[in-house]
Amino acid sequence: MTGIRVRAHHGVFDFEREQGQEFVIDVSVAVDLAAAASGDDLGRTVHYGDLAVAVAEAVERDPVDLIETVAERVAAVALGFDGVEEASVTVHKPQAPIDVPFDDVAVTVVRSRA
């Protein structure tokens, strides 16, 4: 999934914590899809609607300083879904307080069960 938009209050500056800003989350999970595909069975794969809600809830809660921390939190949530062996999470902070023009600030983590 790409482009999950969440308003949250992460950041090192007081105004970021007070006003909040939009964060954009991309999540990719590695799942063996053979059983789900062969049986056309949603119960044998990850329901992307449930994953999207869990990701949004993880980003919204407990403000932290770093988007790195947010990325780790989201990866842990994704790995909590049955069948997910690996999660790649990118957290974008497009309104980061930077004094020069920029398109995006983002961090990516890749985590696995191993």
Side-chain angles (χ1 to χ4, degrees):
M1 288 183 291
T2 59
I4 299 170
R5 299 184 183 287
V6 181
R7 184 154 186 86
H9 297 265
H10 307 295
V12 297
F13 298 112
D14 290 340
F15 68 88
E16 292 179 291
R17 295 290 183 103
E18 293 165 8
Q19 298 171 10
Q21 61 192 291
E22 183 178 71
F23 295 83
V24 181
I25 314 301
D26 303 331
V27 180
S28 177
V29 294
V31 179
D32 183 350
L33 302 175
S38 68
D40 198 30
D41 182 0
L42 176 61
R44 311 269 325 253
T45 188
V46 175
H47 187 301
Y48 52 79
D50 292 347
L51 179 59
V53 168
V55 166
E57 289 173 348
V59 175
E60 289 171 337
R61 69 175 173 82
D62 306 325
V64 295
D65 289 346
L66 303 177
I67 59 175
E68 291 86 345
T69 306
V70 176
E72 292 287 351
R73 179 187 297 170
V74 171
V77 165
L79 287 170
F81 278 76
D82 287 342
V84 174
E85 294 300 321
E86 182 177 276
S88 174
V89 175
T90 301
V91 175
H92 304 265
K93 189 175 179 179
Q95 290 103 29
I98 298 175
D99 292 334
V100 297
F102 71 99
D103 288 330
D104 192 18
V105 170
V107 300
T108 300
V109 299
V110 178
R111 299 294 178 259
S112 62
R113 289 188 186 272

